[in-house]
Amino acid sequence: MKTYKIGVIGGDGIGPEVAAEAVKVLKRVQDGFALDFVNFDFSADRYLKSGELVPDKEFDEVAKLDSCILGALGDPRCAPGVLERGILFRLRFGLDLFVNLRPVKLYTEKLCPIKGKGPKDIDMLVCRENTEDAYSGEARYENKGTKNEVAIQEARYSWKGCERIIRFAFEQARKRNGKKKVTLVDKANAVRAHEIWRRVYAEVAKDFPDIQQDFAYVDATCMWFVKNPEHFDVLVTTNMFGDIITDLGAMIQGGMGIAAGGNIHPGKVSVFEPIHGSAPKYKGLKKVSPLAAILAAGMLLDHVGQPKAAARIEAAVVKVLQSDALPSIDASSGIPTDKVGDMVVAAL
Ligand code: IPM
Ligand code: MN
């Protein structure tokens, strides 16, 4: 029987609570394959105690896994960016996880804040580039500390970096049972360097004559997400724009409690996580929804080659959402995190 080695990084705040529910569900779908879980303590607590973020030895162990589930990172006791750069970006860049795959899928109409829109209108896949843009590289300063100071952060887009994410997006559009369309989201009308995305897109699109080409500026994309989300199928975009539009995407699919994503290198170890953060104020209270983490676990199974088990998880989450047993997916639902996990297990 095939056994997959799965890393579990609980992280900070509510991360460990939601990751535990994802593991609980994963344990129940081992049908014809097995999962072997290994815990990794990459967290603010550890950093504050020992100064360690991701020691090289543990990074090498992660690199040998089949995949990872990550709860959440972020803690108000650490300066902004320390954990993000030291842990999240170490994994994203270090493992070359160039795809940040974020489905925006409305599972049931009652979750949607947009009047008149239902599951048939909101079903898209955002392919966010995950290794370049203003996220990579150092900041530079001129005349630091003076009134003439200038801070400079370069947004970097390599041809290869654009090519691999755009090709990935076209492949997804071909695989999906959707509108067979790939929308390139950029700001080529204002940011000059974005014209490379247009050129690479045109080149890649030649290999996909069956897929419709589409372009939208990022500001207009935000408008369409709310006005006509049914316009979209697969979207491909820069790291920064992908970050921003997927928070909006999470809201139109029901909120941060449901939105999942994967940091992916096709065929290699990848890291799956709920899009929400560590929500420190809810830490230990068992108030938040584990559904995003559970859906991330489903994506993980798809990634390692177990699409049937992945589909079972997604179907169980849909069943729970459609039942009246779960009144909402925000922290006010009144149903503890582990009980929601049990509901998903029961619905499998
Ligand atoms: C995300 C998060 C991260 C990002 C933060 C925590 C650095 O917002 O995964 O969307 O910007 O990529
Ligand atoms: Mn984000």
Side-chain angles (χ1 to χ4, degrees), residues 131-175:
T131 55
E132 301 194 320
D133 207 346
Y135 276 65
S136 63
E138 294 302 313
R140 247 177 341 109
Y141 296 88
E142 287 169 3
N143 307 316
K144 197 164 188 175
T146 74
K147 289 272 178 327
N148 290 323
E149 178 167 350
V150 182
I152 301 153
Q153 175 92 40
E154 279 172 346
R156 180 177 184 281
Y157 311 105
S158 68
W159 205 95
K160 284 182 184 156
C162 295
E163 206 269 345
R164 60 185 185 171
I165 187 69
I166 292 171
R167 185 168 296 280
F168 179 90
F170 272 95
E171 283 162 358
Q172 295 295 313
R174 192 174 264 173
K175 254 199 266 171

mmCIF file of all heavy atoms in Angstrom, residues 131-175:
data_model
loop_
_atom_site.group_PDB
_atom_site.id
_atom_site.type_symbol
_atom_site.label_atom_id
_atom_site.label_comp_id
_atom_site.label_asym_id
_atom_site.label_seq_id
_atom_site.Cartn_x
_atom_site.Cartn_y
_atom_site.Cartn_z
ATOM 1 N N THR A 131 6.562 33.104 -6.241
ATOM 2 C CA THR A 131 7.993 33.193 -5.904
ATOM 3 C C THR A 131 8.648 34.523 -6.312
ATOM 4 O O THR A 131 9.826 34.726 -6.025
ATOM 5 C CB THR A 131 8.797 32.066 -6.592
ATOM 6 O OG1 THR A 131 8.540 32.124 -8.006
ATOM 7 C CG2 THR A 131 8.429 30.693 -6.068
ATOM 8 N N GLU A 132 7.912 35.394 -7.007
ATOM 9 C CA GLU A 132 8.585 36.603 -7.513
ATOM 10 C C GLU A 132 7.855 37.876 -7.075
ATOM 11 O O GLU A 132 7.323 37.930 -5.989
ATOM 12 C CB GLU A 132 8.680 36.531 -9.054
ATOM 13 C CG GLU A 132 9.435 35.306 -9.561
ATOM 14 C CD GLU A 132 9.823 35.407 -11.019
ATOM 15 O OE1 GLU A 132 9.014 35.907 -11.822
ATOM 16 O OE2 GLU A 132 10.950 34.998 -11.348
ATOM 17 N N ASP A 133 7.855 38.868 -7.931
ATOM 18 C CA ASP A 133 7.160 40.134 -7.671
ATOM 19 C C ASP A 133 7.868 40.912 -6.554
ATOM 20 O O ASP A 133 9.028 40.628 -6.230
ATOM 21 C CB ASP A 133 5.693 39.830 -7.307
ATOM 22 C CG ASP A 133 4.742 40.983 -7.641
ATOM 23 O OD1 ASP A 133 5.211 42.101 -7.895
ATOM 24 O OD2 ASP A 133 3.526 40.752 -7.648
ATOM 25 N N ALA A 134 7.160 41.824 -5.930
ATOM 26 C CA ALA A 134 7.773 42.613 -4.854
ATOM 27 C C ALA A 134 8.004 41.769 -3.607
ATOM 28 O O ALA A 134 8.582 42.232 -2.625
ATOM 29 C CB ALA A 134 6.887 43.809 -4.530
ATOM 30 N N TYR A 135 7.534 40.512 -3.637
ATOM 31 C CA TYR A 135 7.749 39.618 -2.498
ATOM 32 C C TYR A 135 9.194 39.136 -2.405
ATOM 33 O O TYR A 135 9.637 38.723 -1.340
ATOM 34 C CB TYR A 135 6.834 38.394 -2.606
ATOM 35 C CG TYR A 135 5.438 38.610 -2.062
ATOM 36 C CD1 TYR A 135 4.574 39.515 -2.657
ATOM 37 C CD2 TYR A 135 4.986 37.890 -0.965
ATOM 38 C CE1 TYR A 135 3.291 39.704 -2.169
ATOM 39 C CE2 TYR A 135 3.706 38.069 -0.470
ATOM 40 C CZ TYR A 135 2.865 38.978 -1.074
ATOM 41 O OH TYR A 135 1.604 39.152 -0.584
ATOM 42 N N SER A 136 9.873 39.110 -3.543
ATOM 43 C CA SER A 136 11.248 38.602 -3.502
ATOM 44 C C SER A 136 12.203 39.792 -3.554
ATOM 45 O O SER A 136 11.832 40.886 -3.966
ATOM 46 C CB SER A 136 11.489 37.659 -4.677
ATOM 47 O OG SER A 136 11.369 38.359 -5.893
ATOM 48 N N GLY A 137 13.397 39.582 -3.118
ATOM 49 C CA GLY A 137 14.384 40.651 -3.191
ATOM 50 C C GLY A 137 14.342 41.555 -1.972
ATOM 51 O O GLY A 137 13.384 41.569 -1.212
ATOM 52 N N GLU A 138 15.396 42.302 -1.807
ATOM 53 C CA GLU A 138 15.551 43.160 -0.626
ATOM 54 C C GLU A 138 15.012 44.552 -0.910
ATOM 55 O O GLU A 138 14.920 44.970 -2.050
ATOM 56 C CB GLU A 138 17.040 43.250 -0.271
ATOM 57 C CG GLU A 138 17.646 41.937 0.202
ATOM 58 C CD GLU A 138 16.942 41.361 1.418
ATOM 59 O OE1 GLU A 138 16.697 42.129 2.369
ATOM 60 O OE2 GLU A 138 16.632 40.158 1.426
ATOM 61 N N ALA A 139 14.714 45.256 0.171
ATOM 62 C CA ALA A 139 14.375 46.673 0.018
ATOM 63 C C ALA A 139 15.680 47.465 -0.006
ATOM 64 O O ALA A 139 16.677 47.072 0.599
ATOM 65 C CB ALA A 139 13.508 47.114 1.173
ATOM 66 N N ARG A 140 15.676 48.556 -0.760
ATOM 67 C CA ARG A 140 16.840 49.449 -0.820
ATOM 68 C C ARG A 140 16.420 50.825 -0.323
ATOM 69 O O ARG A 140 15.254 51.202 -0.502
ATOM 70 C CB ARG A 140 17.268 49.599 -2.282
ATOM 71 C CG ARG A 140 18.585 49.013 -2.588
ATOM 72 C CD ARG A 140 18.998 49.096 -4.048
ATOM 73 N NE ARG A 140 18.052 49.320 -5.108
ATOM 74 C CZ ARG A 140 17.953 50.451 -5.803
ATOM 75 N NH1 ARG A 140 18.707 51.485 -5.483
ATOM 76 N NH2 ARG A 140 17.096 50.550 -6.795
ATOM 77 N N TYR A 141 17.351 51.528 0.280
ATOM 78 C CA TYR A 141 17.014 52.868 0.782
ATOM 79 C C TYR A 141 18.028 53.877 0.290
ATOM 80 O O TYR A 141 19.218 53.591 0.241
ATOM 81 C CB TYR A 141 16.987 52.876 2.306
ATOM 82 C CG TYR A 141 15.902 51.975 2.884
ATOM 83 C CD1 TYR A 141 16.169 50.624 3.130
ATOM 84 C CD2 TYR A 141 14.640 52.464 3.158
ATOM 85 C CE1 TYR A 141 15.189 49.790 3.629
ATOM 86 C CE2 TYR A 141 13.647 51.633 3.656
ATOM 87 C CZ TYR A 141 13.925 50.301 3.894
ATOM 88 O OH TYR A 141 12.944 49.482 4.380
ATOM 89 N N GLU A 142 17.545 55.045 -0.053
ATOM 90 C CA GLU A 142 18.448 56.159 -0.329
ATOM 91 C C GLU A 142 18.213 57.205 0.748
ATOM 92 O O GLU A 142 17.064 57.446 1.137
ATOM 93 C CB GLU A 142 18.133 56.746 -1.717
ATOM 94 C CG GLU A 142 18.590 55.826 -2.844
ATOM 95 C CD GLU A 142 18.054 56.266 -4.213
ATOM 96 O OE1 GLU A 142 17.378 57.308 -4.287
ATOM 97 O OE2 GLU A 142 18.305 55.529 -5.177
ATOM 98 N N ASN A 143 19.288 57.806 1.207
ATOM 99 C CA ASN A 143 19.200 58.883 2.221
ATOM 100 C C ASN A 143 18.380 58.473 3.433
ATOM 101 O O ASN A 143 17.544 59.246 3.915
ATOM 102 C CB ASN A 143 18.598 60.152 1.599
ATOM 103 C CG ASN A 143 19.334 60.578 0.356
ATOM 104 O OD1 ASN A 143 20.561 60.572 0.326
ATOM 105 N ND2 ASN A 143 18.593 60.920 -0.679
ATOM 106 N N LYS A 144 18.599 57.254 3.886
ATOM 107 C CA LYS A 144 17.776 56.724 4.981
ATOM 108 C C LYS A 144 17.850 57.615 6.217
ATOM 109 O O LYS A 144 18.915 58.085 6.597
ATOM 110 C CB LYS A 144 18.196 55.294 5.340
ATOM 111 C CG LYS A 144 17.130 54.594 6.154
ATOM 112 C CD LYS A 144 17.325 53.096 6.200
ATOM 113 C CE LYS A 144 16.096 52.477 6.869
ATOM 114 N NZ LYS A 144 16.121 51.044 6.872
ATOM 115 N N GLY A 145 16.718 57.830 6.811
ATOM 116 C CA GLY A 145 16.664 58.602 8.043
ATOM 117 C C GLY A 145 16.576 60.102 7.823
ATOM 118 O O GLY A 145 16.505 60.862 8.781
ATOM 119 N N THR A 146 16.601 60.532 6.560
ATOM 120 C CA THR A 146 16.465 61.970 6.278
ATOM 121 C C THR A 146 15.117 62.237 5.626
ATOM 122 O O THR A 146 14.418 61.306 5.225
ATOM 123 C CB THR A 146 17.563 62.450 5.289
ATOM 124 O OG1 THR A 146 17.239 61.959 3.972
ATOM 125 C CG2 THR A 146 18.940 61.937 5.688
ATOM 126 N N LYS A 147 14.800 63.502 5.490
ATOM 127 C CA LYS A 147 13.543 63.871 4.828
ATOM 128 C C LYS A 147 13.620 63.598 3.323
ATOM 129 O O LYS A 147 12.624 63.662 2.612
ATOM 130 C CB LYS A 147 13.210 65.344 5.090
ATOM 131 C CG LYS A 147 12.778 65.623 6.518
ATOM 132 C CD LYS A 147 11.283 65.430 6.649
ATOM 133 C CE LYS A 147 10.685 65.622 8.029
ATOM 134 N NZ LYS A 147 11.409 65.292 9.213
ATOM 135 N N ASN A 148 14.816 63.302 2.826
ATOM 136 C CA ASN A 148 14.977 62.969 1.407
ATOM 137 C C ASN A 148 15.003 61.467 1.183
ATOM 138 O O ASN A 148 15.418 60.990 0.132
ATOM 139 C CB ASN A 148 16.278 63.577 0.863
ATOM 140 C CG ASN A 148 16.168 65.075 0.779
ATOM 141 O OD1 ASN A 148 15.095 65.605 0.447
ATOM 142 N ND2 ASN A 148 17.242 65.773 1.114
ATOM 143 N N GLU A 149 14.573 60.741 2.190
ATOM 144 C CA GLU A 149 14.619 59.278 2.096
ATOM 145 C C GLU A 149 13.707 58.761 0.988
ATOM 146 O O GLU A 149 12.601 59.255 0.767
ATOM 147 C CB GLU A 149 14.190 58.648 3.426
ATOM 148 C CG GLU A 149 14.167 57.136 3.374
ATOM 149 C CD GLU A 149 14.050 56.505 4.749
ATOM 150 O OE1 GLU A 149 14.172 57.219 5.767
ATOM 151 O OE2 GLU A 149 13.840 55.281 4.796
ATOM 152 N N VAL A 150 14.210 57.724 0.310
ATOM 153 C CA VAL A 150 13.411 56.998 -0.675
ATOM 154 C C VAL A 150 13.589 55.505 -0.401
ATOM 155 O O VAL A 150 14.721 55.039 -0.278
ATOM 156 C CB VAL A 150 13.888 57.297 -2.125
ATOM 157 C CG1 VAL A 150 13.017 56.568 -3.136
ATOM 158 C CG2 VAL A 150 13.888 58.790 -2.397
ATOM 159 N N ALA A 151 12.488 54.789 -0.265
ATOM 160 C CA ALA A 151 12.545 53.329 -0.088
ATOM 161 C C ALA A 151 12.181 52.679 -1.418
ATOM 162 O O ALA A 151 11.215 53.078 -2.055
ATOM 163 C CB ALA A 151 11.572 52.893 0.995
ATOM 164 N N ILE A 152 12.980 51.707 -1.822
ATOM 165 C CA ILE A 152 12.777 51.096 -3.142
ATOM 166 C C ILE A 152 12.662 49.579 -3.014
ATOM 167 O O ILE A 152 13.528 48.914 -2.443
ATOM 168 C CB ILE A 152 13.973 51.415 -4.078
ATOM 169 C CG1 ILE A 152 14.114 52.938 -4.217
ATOM 170 C CG2 ILE A 152 13.776 50.767 -5.448
ATOM 171 C CD1 ILE A 152 15.512 53.378 -4.526
ATOM 172 N N GLN A 153 11.589 49.055 -3.527
ATOM 173 C CA GLN A 153 11.401 47.600 -3.554
ATOM 174 C C GLN A 153 11.104 47.229 -4.998
ATOM 175 O O GLN A 153 10.143 47.738 -5.590
ATOM 176 C CB GLN A 153 10.215 47.208 -2.666
ATOM 177 C CG GLN A 153 9.848 45.751 -2.700
ATOM 178 C CD GLN A 153 10.539 44.924 -1.626
ATOM 179 O OE1 GLN A 153 10.685 45.367 -0.492
ATOM 180 N NE2 GLN A 153 10.963 43.739 -1.989
ATOM 181 N N GLU A 154 11.911 46.382 -5.553
ATOM 182 C CA GLU A 154 11.687 46.018 -6.947
ATOM 183 C C GLU A 154 10.677 44.889 -7.082
ATOM 184 O O GLU A 154 10.683 43.949 -6.293
ATOM 185 C CB GLU A 154 13.007 45.582 -7.588
ATOM 186 C CG GLU A 154 13.834 46.757 -8.020
ATOM 187 C CD GLU A 154 15.216 46.367 -8.486
ATOM 188 O OE1 GLU A 154 15.642 45.220 -8.237
ATOM 189 O OE2 GLU A 154 15.869 47.223 -9.090
ATOM 190 N N ALA A 155 9.828 45.004 -8.094
ATOM 191 C CA ALA A 155 8.934 43.908 -8.453
ATOM 192 C C ALA A 155 9.590 43.204 -9.637
ATOM 193 O O ALA A 155 9.791 43.795 -10.684
ATOM 194 C CB ALA A 155 7.565 44.441 -8.836
ATOM 195 N N ARG A 156 9.929 41.937 -9.422
ATOM 196 C CA ARG A 156 10.726 41.224 -10.399
ATOM 197 C C ARG A 156 9.876 40.150 -11.057
ATOM 198 O O ARG A 156 9.207 39.383 -10.363
ATOM 199 C CB ARG A 156 11.898 40.604 -9.622
ATOM 200 C CG ARG A 156 12.865 39.820 -10.401
ATOM 201 C CD ARG A 156 14.000 39.336 -9.469
ATOM 202 N NE ARG A 156 14.983 38.643 -10.254
ATOM 203 C CZ ARG A 156 14.833 37.389 -10.669
ATOM 204 N NH1 ARG A 156 13.761 36.715 -10.337
ATOM 205 N NH2 ARG A 156 15.766 36.824 -11.416
ATOM 206 N N TYR A 157 9.883 40.105 -12.394
ATOM 207 C CA TYR A 157 9.131 39.071 -13.117
ATOM 208 C C TYR A 157 10.051 38.458 -14.153
ATOM 209 O O TYR A 157 10.428 39.141 -15.109
ATOM 210 C CB TYR A 157 7.908 39.666 -13.828
ATOM 211 C CG TYR A 157 7.059 40.548 -12.944
ATOM 212 C CD1 TYR A 157 7.095 41.937 -13.086
ATOM 213 C CD2 TYR A 157 6.230 40.004 -11.976
ATOM 214 C CE1 TYR A 157 6.323 42.753 -12.281
ATOM 215 C CE2 TYR A 157 5.453 40.814 -11.157
ATOM 216 C CZ TYR A 157 5.514 42.193 -11.320
ATOM 217 O OH TYR A 157 4.748 43.001 -10.511
ATOM 218 N N SER A 158 10.421 37.202 -13.974
ATOM 219 C CA SER A 158 11.280 36.575 -14.978
ATOM 220 C C SER A 158 10.410 35.902 -16.037
ATOM 221 O O SER A 158 9.262 35.538 -15.778
ATOM 222 C CB SER A 158 12.190 35.528 -14.312
ATOM 223 O OG SER A 158 11.416 34.436 -13.850
ATOM 224 N N TRP A 159 10.984 35.758 -17.227
ATOM 225 C CA TRP A 159 10.252 35.092 -18.312
ATOM 226 C C TRP A 159 9.865 33.682 -17.871
ATOM 227 O O TRP A 159 8.723 33.267 -18.021
ATOM 228 C CB TRP A 159 11.132 35.044 -19.580
ATOM 229 C CG TRP A 159 10.329 34.957 -20.852
ATOM 230 C CD1 TRP A 159 9.948 35.999 -21.639
ATOM 231 C CD2 TRP A 159 9.795 33.762 -21.446
ATOM 232 N NE1 TRP A 159 9.202 35.529 -22.694
ATOM 233 C CE2 TRP A 159 9.090 34.164 -22.604
ATOM 234 C CE3 TRP A 159 9.838 32.403 -21.128
ATOM 235 C CZ2 TRP A 159 8.447 33.254 -23.440
ATOM 236 C CZ3 TRP A 159 9.188 31.506 -21.956
ATOM 237 C CH2 TRP A 159 8.508 31.934 -23.101
ATOM 238 N N LYS A 160 10.836 32.980 -17.283
ATOM 239 C CA LYS A 160 10.559 31.601 -16.843
ATOM 240 C C LYS A 160 9.505 31.567 -15.740
ATOM 241 O O LYS A 160 8.674 30.669 -15.687
ATOM 242 C CB LYS A 160 11.842 30.937 -16.327
ATOM 243 C CG LYS A 160 12.764 30.509 -17.435
ATOM 244 C CD LYS A 160 13.989 29.807 -16.871
ATOM 245 C CE LYS A 160 14.953 29.461 -17.987
ATOM 246 N NZ LYS A 160 16.332 29.327 -17.494
ATOM 247 N N GLY A 161 9.578 32.546 -14.849
ATOM 248 C CA GLY A 161 8.618 32.615 -13.752
ATOM 249 C C GLY A 161 7.206 32.837 -14.260
ATOM 250 O O GLY A 161 6.246 32.225 -13.784
ATOM 251 N N CYS A 162 7.062 33.718 -15.240
ATOM 252 C CA CYS A 162 5.736 33.968 -15.833
ATOM 253 C C CYS A 162 5.288 32.739 -16.619
ATOM 254 O O CYS A 162 4.127 32.322 -16.527
ATOM 255 C CB CYS A 162 5.780 35.168 -16.776
ATOM 256 S SG CYS A 162 6.149 36.735 -15.965
ATOM 257 N N GLU A 163 6.215 32.165 -17.357
ATOM 258 C CA GLU A 163 5.862 31.060 -18.247
ATOM 259 C C GLU A 163 5.283 29.876 -17.475
ATOM 260 O O GLU A 163 4.255 29.311 -17.831
ATOM 261 C CB GLU A 163 7.108 30.636 -19.039
ATOM 262 C CG GLU A 163 6.807 29.992 -20.378
ATOM 263 C CD GLU A 163 6.664 28.472 -20.332
ATOM 264 O OE1 GLU A 163 7.062 27.857 -19.319
ATOM 265 O OE2 GLU A 163 6.150 27.905 -21.299
ATOM 266 N N ARG A 164 5.949 29.509 -16.380
ATOM 267 C CA ARG A 164 5.509 28.283 -15.708
ATOM 268 C C ARG A 164 4.158 28.455 -15.032
ATOM 269 O O ARG A 164 3.349 27.531 -15.014
ATOM 270 C CB ARG A 164 6.575 27.753 -14.755
ATOM 271 C CG ARG A 164 6.988 28.691 -13.636
ATOM 272 C CD ARG A 164 8.141 28.060 -12.858
ATOM 273 N NE ARG A 164 8.508 28.867 -11.706
ATOM 274 C CZ ARG A 164 9.349 28.477 -10.768
ATOM 275 N NH1 ARG A 164 9.926 27.274 -10.862
ATOM 276 N NH2 ARG A 164 9.647 29.256 -9.757
ATOM 277 N N ILE A 165 3.862 29.627 -14.505
ATOM 278 C CA ILE A 165 2.560 29.800 -13.854
ATOM 279 C C ILE A 165 1.452 29.976 -14.907
ATOM 280 O O ILE A 165 0.339 29.465 -14.743
ATOM 281 C CB ILE A 165 2.572 30.971 -12.826
ATOM 282 C CG1 ILE A 165 1.271 31.028 -12.023
ATOM 283 C CG2 ILE A 165 2.799 32.318 -13.481
ATOM 284 C CD1 ILE A 165 1.062 29.901 -11.055
ATOM 285 N N ILE A 166 1.773 30.639 -16.008
ATOM 286 C CA ILE A 166 0.750 30.815 -17.056
ATOM 287 C C ILE A 166 0.434 29.458 -17.690
ATOM 288 O O ILE A 166 -0.723 29.104 -17.911
ATOM 289 C CB ILE A 166 1.215 31.851 -18.111
ATOM 290 C CG1 ILE A 166 1.270 33.254 -17.474
ATOM 291 C CG2 ILE A 166 0.290 31.839 -19.328
ATOM 292 C CD1 ILE A 166 1.910 34.323 -18.354
ATOM 293 N N ARG A 167 1.470 28.660 -17.935
ATOM 294 C CA ARG A 167 1.242 27.321 -18.502
ATOM 295 C C ARG A 167 0.414 26.463 -17.539
ATOM 296 O O ARG A 167 -0.515 25.768 -17.945
ATOM 297 C CB ARG A 167 2.593 26.644 -18.807
ATOM 298 C CG ARG A 167 2.475 25.292 -19.503
ATOM 299 C CD ARG A 167 3.812 24.816 -20.046
ATOM 300 N NE ARG A 167 4.331 25.690 -21.097
ATOM 301 C CZ ARG A 167 3.926 25.668 -22.364
ATOM 302 N NH1 ARG A 167 3.006 24.800 -22.754
ATOM 303 N NH2 ARG A 167 4.428 26.499 -23.255
ATOM 304 N N PHE A 168 0.748 26.553 -16.251
ATOM 305 C CA PHE A 168 -0.016 25.817 -15.246
ATOM 306 C C PHE A 168 -1.496 26.219 -15.316
ATOM 307 O O PHE A 168 -2.394 25.370 -15.269
ATOM 308 C CB PHE A 168 0.556 26.104 -13.846
ATOM 309 C CG PHE A 168 -0.169 25.406 -12.729
ATOM 310 C CD1 PHE A 168 0.215 24.142 -12.311
ATOM 311 C CD2 PHE A 168 -1.255 26.011 -12.097
ATOM 312 C CE1 PHE A 168 -0.465 23.484 -11.281
ATOM 313 C CE2 PHE A 168 -1.941 25.367 -11.073
ATOM 314 C CZ PHE A 168 -1.540 24.106 -10.672
ATOM 315 N N ALA A 169 -1.750 27.515 -15.432
ATOM 316 C CA ALA A 169 -3.134 28.015 -15.471
ATOM 317 C C ALA A 169 -3.869 27.471 -16.698
ATOM 318 O O ALA A 169 -5.026 27.024 -16.605
ATOM 319 C CB ALA A 169 -3.142 29.539 -15.473
ATOM 320 N N PHE A 170 -3.219 27.482 -17.847
ATOM 321 C CA PHE A 170 -3.862 26.944 -19.061
ATOM 322 C C PHE A 170 -4.160 25.448 -18.907
ATOM 323 O O PHE A 170 -5.215 24.973 -19.322
ATOM 324 C CB PHE A 170 -2.976 27.199 -20.290
ATOM 325 C CG PHE A 170 -3.242 28.532 -20.947
ATOM 326 C CD1 PHE A 170 -2.479 29.643 -20.633
ATOM 327 C CD2 PHE A 170 -4.268 28.678 -21.882
ATOM 328 C CE1 PHE A 170 -2.724 30.879 -21.227
ATOM 329 C CE2 PHE A 170 -4.519 29.905 -22.484
ATOM 330 C CZ PHE A 170 -3.744 31.014 -22.151
ATOM 331 N N GLU A 171 -3.217 24.751 -18.289
ATOM 332 C CA GLU A 171 -3.457 23.311 -18.081
ATOM 333 C C GLU A 171 -4.657 23.081 -17.175
ATOM 334 O O GLU A 171 -5.462 22.170 -17.399
ATOM 335 C CB GLU A 171 -2.199 22.645 -17.486
ATOM 336 C CG GLU A 171 -1.127 22.410 -18.545
ATOM 337 C CD GLU A 171 0.263 22.165 -17.951
ATOM 338 O OE1 GLU A 171 0.412 22.218 -16.703
ATOM 339 O OE2 GLU A 171 1.201 21.932 -18.749
ATOM 340 N N GLN A 172 -4.783 23.906 -16.137
ATOM 341 C CA GLN A 172 -5.933 23.789 -15.229
ATOM 342 C C GLN A 172 -7.237 24.056 -15.986
ATOM 343 O O GLN A 172 -8.232 23.360 -15.792
ATOM 344 C CB GLN A 172 -5.806 24.792 -14.065
ATOM 345 C CG GLN A 172 -4.645 24.535 -13.135
ATOM 346 C CD GLN A 172 -4.787 23.216 -12.388
ATOM 347 O OE1 GLN A 172 -5.834 22.907 -11.844
ATOM 348 N NE2 GLN A 172 -3.727 22.439 -12.383
ATOM 349 N N ALA A 173 -7.226 25.074 -16.833
ATOM 350 C CA ALA A 173 -8.445 25.423 -17.577
ATOM 351 C C ALA A 173 -8.860 24.273 -18.485
ATOM 352 O O ALA A 173 -10.043 23.980 -18.658
ATOM 353 C CB ALA A 173 -8.209 26.690 -18.403
ATOM 354 N N ARG A 174 -7.885 23.597 -19.044
ATOM 355 C CA ARG A 174 -8.160 22.464 -19.925
ATOM 356 C C ARG A 174 -8.744 21.296 -19.128
ATOM 357 O O ARG A 174 -9.653 20.615 -19.567
ATOM 358 C CB ARG A 174 -6.861 22.045 -20.622
ATOM 359 C CG ARG A 174 -7.066 21.076 -21.750
ATOM 360 C CD ARG A 174 -5.754 20.823 -22.472
ATOM 361 N NE ARG A 174 -5.599 21.671 -23.652
ATOM 362 C CZ ARG A 174 -4.487 21.721 -24.368
ATOM 363 N NH1 ARG A 174 -3.433 21.025 -24.013
ATOM 364 N NH2 ARG A 174 -4.425 22.490 -25.446
ATOM 365 N N LYS A 175 -8.225 21.093 -17.922
ATOM 366 C CA LYS A 175 -8.671 19.984 -17.065
ATOM 367 C C LYS A 175 -10.039 20.221 -16.464
ATOM 368 O O LYS A 175 -10.804 19.307 -16.233
ATOM 369 C CB LYS A 175 -7.673 19.834 -15.892
ATOM 370 C CG LYS A 175 -6.757 18.626 -16.006
ATOM 371 C CD LYS A 175 -6.159 18.286 -14.654
ATOM 372 C CE LYS A 175 -4.805 18.943 -14.480
ATOM 373 N NZ LYS A 175 -4.215 18.880 -13.174
#
